[in-house]
Amino acid sequence: MSTRLSDAKQALTSKRAFLSFVETKESRLGHLEHRNPWTNSDLDISPPEDWTWTWRNYAAFWWSYGFSTGVWTVGSSLIAVGLKSWQGKWDLILRSARVYRGESTDLMIAIIVVFISHLLGAIGMAMHSRSAAVYHFGFPVASRVPWGMVGGMFPVFVRTLVGTVWIGIQLMQGGYFTAVLLNCIIGKSFMNMHDPIPESSDITIQQLIGLLIFFFGSMPLLSIPVTKVKIIFTIKSVVLPPVVIGLFIFCMVKGRGHEAGTFGSKGLTGSALAWAMLSGINSTMGKTASNIVNQPDLARYARTRSAPLWSQLLALPIGNTLCATLGIFGTSAIKQAWDLEKAIWNPWDLSNAILAHYWGPGARAGIAFVSMGFLFSIMASNLGVNVIPWGADISTYLPRFLNIRRGMFLSYIFGLVICPWKILTSATSFLRFLGGYSIFLGPFVGIFLTDYLVVRRGNIWVGELYSANPRGRYWYTCGVNWRACVAYTVAVVLPIPGFATLFGHDLSPAWLKIYQIGWILTCVVSSVVYFLCSFVGDFVEEERAMKFEEVANREYVEGFDDEEAVSAVVVRSEK
């Protein structure tokens, strides 16, 4: 501590001393003669000592991610929204959430819809993990390959915007559960305290107190090294399932003997059923869309190339499908047991409602246990899928002054100032958010996968990704690959009119159908357009003629266990 204070005082002595104090570490190799403006120690490829994530760590990460407030909320919110005109895409799942005896067929279809959506997400994650598991770079550097040195900042920018909202949502959810926990500990005097905040603000004084406590209380986790956080997800994978399953059992016991309502739905057959399934799959993928895009930020720490493959393919769809199903049935059961006009779509309001209905030592102890479990879940999930990637991504804009750790602290600030409670005011706004942003992320996945796996056959010259030479391999035209721009634009334009219909614009129903399959459509279209554009000019001709990942096998595999082999790549990049 005394050393840090001494350094801080020294930094105030001159401009040069101040810049030296706030600058990030230039490279993992230490001080360089000439600083490279395209990298710092976190943007460099990860050295062998950081390749610590095994298949077990990735499996624990995504299994535990499934048992979270977000996944429960995705499932239960389908019950709450009913069937308004723009929400016909949820018709199948809403019907399937009924607990009538004999409705097992509808139940199976609902489970299949949820499972397929997360399976597609898992496939995208596993495939997009490949490049980072082989070359050990993060998402900002991976973006330079198909988009160019300058153009690569665009996908990072879009992902950062989405990540900011998700960080804010998770912070707010943590605040909600902190308020629930305080209610259990302090008693009704906390929930009944005077609230000076106007109702139109969509947040209460109790929730604001909970948000601030969670905000500052979880901040020390941001200091944990990225390579060490995997232990948190291992613990979470064991602790959270009993918490979520316990809440589900309570809801089902209270709802026993009560038939579920129809929620305003009608039977679907033929093409209507098919469209409901497709749009349900597409919309549910909104929960994992951002994680697919920035997958390299975690895959870069893989011990082996195959570590992120089967672990993610299995753990992600199974864990998410199970928790979403519990949310659907738990919400449905409580709605009928209490004869509610409107379903309680999120677990924090459900916890408060349980306290209100069954106030006493047992209920307070039980909900306190549930709240602490969900609080731990929120902190871990937010750290792994939002805060760490956000910190890694933002460093690409100012690598001289921003690294992952500083970016993580900035993400917390930005997540708070966007007022995330506005998104969580209703199930409608939450689902609109999920369905909306995914259409802007789908094209990135199609471009990334097509470029790496098909067009350039997994061959990347890592040193060139840090080259400041405008004639470098990945500078393309003024630092931008026009092929990626064309593919993205063509893909994302298609669902935008349908997206506009959600805000009251009267357009043809055909546009809405296009929007309802937005993520899948944009991913496929961008992939096809990018592939066709890759034949224009002499684009990646050298890579096409090579074997799959020949560059990696030739230059790196022999030295994967050798620190000097990785250092050599970084040294070349600095020249």
Side-chain angles (χ1 to χ4, degrees):
M1 180 64 70
S2 58
T3 302
R4 292 182 180 179
L5 290 175
S6 176
D7 291 340
K9 291 179 181 179
Q10 179 65 28
L12 299 176
T13 59
S14 68
K15 179 180 178 181
R16 177 175 296 182
F18 179 76
L19 288 176
S20 178
F21 178 75
V22 298
E23 281 182 337
T24 60
K25 187 178 179 181
E26 298 175 49
S27 169
R28 291 185 180 273
L29 301 178
H31 179 70
L32 302 173
E33 184 177 352
H34 299 288
R35 179 158 194 144
N36 187 333
W38 292 96
T39 190
N40 59 29
S41 59
D42 286 335
L43 288 173
D44 281 353
I45 61 173
S46 300
E49 64 265 22
D50 287 349
W51 305 347
T52 58
W53 283 56
T54 66
W55 69 267
R56 294 181 182 85
N57 300 125
Y58 288 105
F61 181 91
W62 291 114
W63 169 260
S64 64
Y65 175 78
F67 289 89
S68 63
T69 55
V71 178
W72 173 287
T73 300
V74 165
S76 60
S77 60
L78 307 183
I79 303 300
V81 294
L83 284 178
K84 300 177 183 177
S85 58
W86 67 271
Q87 291 162 329
K89 61 186 179 181
W90 299 109
D91 211 353
L92 169 69
I93 304 180
L94 287 170
R95 287 198 312 114
S96 304
R98 294 179 295 175
V99 292
Y100 287 145
R101 291 183 293 271
E103 291 282 340
S104 58
T105 300
D106 283 350
L107 169 61
M108 286 304 299
I109 294 176
I111 294 175
I112 290 172
V113 167
V114 175
F115 178 78
I116 290 177
S117 64
H118 287 99
L119 178 61
L120 290 175
I123 292 173
M125 290 183 189
M127 295 176 70
H128 197 201
S129 296
R130 180 68 184 187
S131 61
V134 171
Y135 294 100
H136 299 280
F137 44 49
F139 172 61
V141 177
S143 298
R144 298 171 185 173
V145 180
W147 284 86
M149 296 294 291
V150 177
M153 295 185 182
F154 174 66
V156 174
F157 173 74
V158 175
R159 171 60 183 92
T160 301
L161 287 180
V162 174
T164 301
V165 178
W166 269 116
I167 291 169
I169 288 176
Q170 294 275 273
L171 286 173
M172 194 64 247
Q173 290 179 349
Y176 289 149
F177 271 111
T178 301
V180 174
L181 181 61
L182 290 175
N183 189 22
C184 295
I185 297 173
I186 299 175
K188 290 185 178 181
S189 60
F190 175 75
M191 295 308 294
N192 294 332
M193 65 187 296
H194 173 65
D195 185 4
I197 301 177
E199 186 176 351
S200 59
S201 299
D202 296 320
I203 187 173
T204 66
I205 185 64
Q206 294 87 349
Q207 293 168 347
L208 180 60
I209 293 172
L211 172 61
L212 294 177
I213 291 176
F214 182 80
F215 178 86
F216 290 105
S218 60
M219 194 169 282
L221 288 176
L222 307 186
S223 298
I224 300 176
V226 178
T227 55
K228 306 295 184 183
V229 298
K230 59 182 184 292
I231 185 62
I232 296 178
F233 306 113
T234 301
I235 297 173
K236 181 187 172 187
S237 67
V238 177
V239 172
L240 259 296
V243 173
V244 176
I245 294 173
L247 181 61
F248 163 75
I249 292 175
F250 174 87
C251 294
M252 295 306 293
V253 169
K254 293 302 177 181
R256 184 173 53 190
H258 296 272
E259 289 188 338
T262 63
F263 302 102
S265 61
K266 299 179 181 179
L268 295 177
T269 59
S271 62
L273 177 61
W275 274 105
M277 292 185 68
L278 284 173
S279 59
I281 290 170
N282 176 79
S283 297
T284 308
M285 289 190 66
K287 186 67 176 68
T288 57
S290 60
N291 301 326
I292 300 173
V293 173
N294 65 261
Q295 187 61 202
D297 285 332
L298 291 179
R300 67 185 296 186
Y301 302 110
R303 180 172 297 178
T304 64
R305 298 184 182 186
S306 60
L309 181 58
W310 292 106
S311 54
Q312 295 186 126
L313 283 175
L314 295 176
L316 176 63
I318 294 175
N320 280 263
T321 301
L322 180 56
C323 187
T325 303
L326 299 182
I328 289 173
F329 278 95
T331 299
S332 174
I334 285 294
K335 182 179 186 296
Q336 300 311 310
W338 294 346
D339 193 24
L340 300 175
E341 181 179 348
K342 185 177 181 181
I344 303 175
W345 69 283
N346 59 68
W348 50 88
D349 282 342
L350 176 60
S351 297
N352 276 324
I354 292 173
L355 287 175
H357 276 76
Y358 309 104
W359 183 263
R364 292 172 66 177
I367 293 301
F369 175 76
V370 170
S371 299
M372 288 187 289
F374 275 127
L375 282 171
F376 178 66
S377 171
I378 293 168
M379 286 188 287
S381 294
N382 202 25
L383 183 65
V385 302
N386 296 317
V387 176
I388 290 175
W390 201 98
D393 297 347
I394 201 69
S395 64
T396 193
Y397 294 109
L398 288 171
R400 183 180 179 185
F401 300 107
L402 292 177
N403 54 22
I404 292 179
R405 178 171 294 184
R406 293 176 183 178
M408 289 165 67
F409 281 96
L410 277 177
S411 73
Y412 253 45
I413 297 173
F414 280 102
L416 187 63
V417 300
I418 64 170
C419 303
W421 50 88
K422 292 292 184 180
I423 296 176
L424 293 171
T425 54
S426 69
T428 298
S429 60
F430 179 69
L431 291 177
R432 183 175 292 175
F433 163 70
L434 283 181
Y437 78 80
S438 62
I439 65 175
F440 299 100
L441 297 180
F444 292 132
V445 179
I447 292 170
F448 279 121
L449 299 185
T450 303
D451 179 81
Y452 182 78
L453 299 174
V454 181
V455 174
R456 65 183 73 245
R457 297 174 57 81
N459 292 294
I460 298 175
W461 278 266
V462 175
E464 293 280 351
L465 292 172
Y466 301 92
S467 173
N469 185 352
R471 298 179 181 178
R473 187 183 294 269
Y474 301 107
W475 274 83
Y476 305 119
T477 305
C478 299
V480 178
N481 182 8
W482 63 266
R483 298 165 183 82
C485 297
V486 170
Y488 184 88
T489 303
V490 171
V492 82
V493 161
L494 293 175
I496 285 181
F499 181 54
T501 63
L502 305 187
F503 301 93
H505 298 282
D506 188 16
L507 297 173
S508 169
W511 288 113
L512 180 59
K513 289 186 180 295
I514 291 176
Y515 167 73
Q516 288 174 350
I517 56 171
W519 191 93
I520 299 173
L521 177 67
T522 55
C523 183
V524 172
V525 170
S526 65
S527 177
V528 173
V529 174
Y530 186 82
F531 177 74
L532 295 176
C533 290
S534 68
F535 290 100
V536 179
D538 57 354
F539 185 61
V540 298
E541 285 186 342
E542 183 179 0
E543 290 92 326
R544 291 182 192 274
M546 303 176 74
K547 297 179 181 178
F548 186 72
E549 294 179 345
E550 181 178 337
V551 172
N553 295 330
R554 186 177 64 198
E555 293 195 17
Y556 304 112
V557 167
E558 295 300 325
F560 262 7
D561 294 325
D562 185 356
E563 178 81 34
E564 293 182 358
V566 177
S567 301
V569 176
V570 181
V571 169
R572 288 199 301 270
S573 73
E574 305 296 345
K575 293 182 177 179

